[in-house]
Amino acid sequence: HLVTTADVWVVVSPTTANAIDLPGTVVTYNFQATNTSDQSRSFNLALGAYTWSTQLEKTVIGPLAPGASANFWVRVNIPAGAADYDFDATMVTLASQTDARYRAVANITTTARTYGVSISPASQNIEGAVGTVERYWLQIANTGGYPDTYDLSAASALGWVVTPSVNTVGPLAVGGTTGLWVDVQIPPGIPDGTIDTTLVQAQSQADQDVAAQANLVTTARVYGVEVSPTNASAIGLPGSVVTYNFQVTNTGDQSDSFDLALGAYTWPTQLEKAVIGPLAAGASANFWVRVSIPAGAVDYDLDATTVALASQKDARFGAVASMTTTARTYGVSLSPASQNGKGLTDTVERYWLQ
């Protein structure tokens, strides 16, 4: 007769089994078979197709009385060379020895997961001035199948001082990420164009064969600027305009442009330009600052301001010139302001004044 659902003589639990583990490990699946018929029966067990080495505990279960159960296991060996997310699937079939049409099936899927880590970006390039510190930002991610903690190391090929923000990262959950920074100190006095590569490594504490690396490439640059004169002063009449002339010299080893900015001032003040450059290494250029002395300024009124120059390559390198403008007026005095004398008639009295 046709086999229907009501004719099922055996059930297996679970019907689907999944497991994740490391390459080189053995995964054991435990099952329970139950005789659901009204007679004592035995059941044949058989594995379906598989790729990874798989072992079935027994080939026969029973005889089992009606309603009775028995356990068995299936073991799957994950190959040592399995890559992350490699998997193998198989099944185990239980069939009645008296009528193989009465059967149950359990499906088994085994997935290999490894420890993993990534660093991003994998490479960075920064140009920095000699004697300064450049900071690189990195992200560490747990790309493996298990929570993990990572040891961090950083080493400069040229022996420059390197400082990571942390020495250990984690624990990170699966898929978790965290940020960190690494400071690279560019030594003073080294030649322009010196290139260092710092190797940053994050190594799994759970599996020391698992690590990720990033390269931090730092190029040393020599920046510098001088302005002449550094102190300027002038005297002018109220209502006049005083012009200060300056010369800027690029003392660095790279072509550079320089931003100009006035400091605080009270009298109307004009800066010829906001940028000078690009100037080749050692080259110079001129600019002026004009100060308008107010028409109502009194004698000895003054105003002081500054002009600051900053490298566009690295604003930490700059120069400053100061200016002091004094108002002077025309003036005269006679002293003493009053004198009294006595003299004879028909004589001349002489008064001395300054």
Side-chain angles (χ1 to χ4, degrees):
H1 71 281
L2 295 174
V3 176
T4 67
T5 302
D7 295 323
V8 172
W9 290 353
V10 63
V11 294
V12 62
S13 177
T15 57
T16 300
N18 301 285
I20 294 172
D21 215 330
L22 290 164
T25 61
V26 176
V27 177
T28 299
Y29 297 92
N30 293 297
F31 297 95
Q32 184 180 71
T34 302
N35 178 7
T36 58
S37 73
D38 57 1
Q39 299 179 30
S40 178
R41 299 185 187 277
S42 294
F43 303 93
N44 293 326
L45 280 68
L47 288 172
Y50 55 84
T51 302
W52 294 348
S53 175
T54 303
Q55 181 185 3
L56 180 60
E57 179 185 8
K58 56 188 73 174
T59 57
V60 176
I61 283 184
L64 294 179
S69 298
N71 298 326
F72 68 95
W73 50 253
V74 175
R75 287 180 179 157
V76 179
N77 294 272
I78 303 177
D84 200 29
Y85 284 107
D86 278 355
F87 70 91
D88 191 29
T90 188
M91 63 182 181
V92 59
T93 302
L94 295 85
S96 169
Q97 286 186 341
T98 57
D99 190 335
R101 293 176 300 171
Y102 297 90
R103 65 181 60 207
V105 175
N107 293 295
I108 301 168
T109 302
T110 310
T111 303
R113 287 305 313 271
T114 61
Y115 290 102
V117 61
S118 69
I119 303 180
S120 60
S123 180
Q124 295 183 66
N125 298 272
I126 292 180
E127 291 188 354
V130 296
T132 64
V133 175
E134 295 299 331
R135 176 163 290 181
Y136 294 85
W137 291 93
L138 297 166
Q139 185 179 69
I140 307 293
N142 180 355
T143 60
Y146 311 93
D148 203 356
T149 299
Y150 307 96
D151 293 324
L152 194 75
S153 62
S156 158
L158 298 182
W160 295 358
V161 175
V162 177
T163 307
S165 58
V166 294
N167 295 317
T168 302
V169 174
L172 289 182
V174 175
T177 62
T178 190
L180 60 93
W181 50 258
V182 176
D183 281 347
V184 177
Q185 183 174 325
I186 306 174
I190 62 174
D192 183 80
T194 302
I195 299 176
D196 173 69
T197 298
T198 292
L199 180 65
V200 179
Q201 177 171 283
Q203 184 178 46
S204 165
Q205 288 187 351
D207 185 348
Q208 294 191 350
D209 290 332
V210 173
Q213 296 178 336
N215 289 310
L216 311 180
V217 181
T218 309
T219 302
R221 293 302 184 195
V222 177
Y223 302 122
V225 60
E226 290 182 352
V227 60
S228 178
T230 56
N231 291 283
S233 59
I235 294 172
L237 289 167
S240 66
V241 176
V242 175
T243 299
Y244 296 94
N245 293 298
F246 296 95
Q247 184 178 72
V248 178
T249 301
N250 178 4
T251 60
D253 291 340
Q254 291 286 308
S255 176
D256 202 352
S257 295
F258 304 93
D259 294 324
L260 280 66
L262 287 171
Y265 54 84
T266 301
W267 294 348
T269 302
Q270 181 185 2
L271 178 62
E272 178 185 8
K273 56 189 73 175
V275 177
I276 283 185
L279 296 180
S284 298
N286 299 323
F287 72 95
W288 50 254
V289 176
R290 287 178 178 159
V291 179
S292 298
I293 303 175
V298 300
D299 202 27
Y300 285 106
D301 275 356
L302 63 88
D303 190 29
T305 188
T306 59
V307 59
L309 296 90
S311 164
Q312 289 188 345
K313 294 287 183 67
D314 191 330
R316 291 171 293 187
F317 292 84
V320 177
S322 62
M323 293 157 280
T324 303
T325 309
T326 304
R328 292 303 311 272
T329 61
Y330 290 108
V332 63
S333 67
L334 285 175
S335 61
S338 176
Q339 295 185 61
N340 297 283
K342 293 180 180 181
L344 298 172
T345 57
D346 294 329
T347 62
V348 175
E349 296 298 327
R350 177 170 293 175
Y351 293 85
W352 292 93
L353 298 167
Q354 184 179 59

